[in-house]
Amino acid sequence: MTTSLYSVKKCDGKAPTSSVSVLALFTAFLGTLPRLIEDERDLCGYSGQDPAVDQWIAAADASLAATKAACAAVLATPAEGEADRSVQRVARLFMDVSESPDPEEVADLRANARLRRWAYRVPGKIAGAHQVNVQIDAALDGLESWLALEDPFDARAEAWADPGLDCDAGPAAFA
């Protein structure tokens, strides 16, 4: 007999319950991160004018959808302890970052995750804390890697917007 991620609907009419733990779902979420980062890296600095890269865009969109679905599964499963709540905080962070249309909010979430990594970790006295914290650290490192992909391009954009640049140079500037 094979085990599925979710049990079938019960005969009593109640909603199905997950047969997979939050930690197992979090592990599946972690498995989506390398593909997400790789697919997004392929698009770094791309402005969207060349139809030849439509496949790359589709791949990145699919990777993001897979990561968000994995986050949603982690968040939808009832937490049964501190370890579950900790990994759900990390999943919530990913979901908040991925769904935010506000670059300042994303920057604030990113800075908070960098400075307060300890707040996402499981206390050492909890059984299995070390392994869960390794996974939490891997997820937070993945978030940083994902967000850092565009950093070099953002720095150039700021430099290009520098009012000190000689944007007026040209025939009209010398008339």
Side-chain angles (χ1 to χ4, degrees):
M1 179 175 160
T2 60
T3 304
S4 66
L5 287 179
Y6 300 98
S7 61
V8 294
K9 187 172 182 177
K10 296 179 182 178
C11 293
D12 62 6
K14 292 183 181 177
T17 59
S18 173
S19 62
V20 178
S21 72
V22 172
L23 294 175
L25 292 168
F26 190 75
T27 300
F29 157 71
L30 282 175
T32 70
L33 296 181
R35 172 62 48 197
L36 173 67
I37 293 166
E38 182 179 326
D39 289 345
E40 291 284 340
R41 184 177 294 124
D42 289 342
L43 292 174
C44 282
Y46 170 68
S47 61
Q49 281 80 25
D50 187 353
V53 295
D54 285 349
Q55 286 182 305
W56 290 347
I57 293 170
D61 288 345
S63 295
L64 180 58
T67 297
K68 288 172 74 172
C71 277
V74 171
L75 294 170
T77 304
E80 294 185 10
E82 185 63 32
D84 288 356
R85 286 188 292 278
S86 291
V87 298
Q88 284 180 332
R89 277 192 296 273
V90 175
R92 170 57 44 212
L93 172 65
F94 263 88
M95 195 64 90
D96 290 347
V97 166
S98 68
E99 292 184 342
S100 177
D102 183 4
E104 287 185 32
E105 178 185 23
V106 171
D108 288 345
L109 291 168
R110 181 182 184 186
N112 184 47
R114 265 194 215 148
L115 295 173
R116 298 185 69 231
R117 184 175 279 236
W118 57 267
Y120 293 94
R121 300 184 94 221
V122 177
K125 65 184 178 195
I126 306 266
H130 176 73
Q131 180 58 36
V132 175
N133 286 333
V134 166
Q135 289 184 311
I136 287 171
D137 287 342
L140 293 173
D141 290 345
L143 175 68
E144 179 58 30
S145 294
W146 180 47
L147 293 175
L149 291 174
E150 292 292 330
D151 286 351
F153 300 101
D154 289 344
R156 281 194 304 200
E158 288 177 24
W160 292 336
D162 183 3
L165 292 177
D166 192 10
C167 296
D168 297 340
F174 300 106

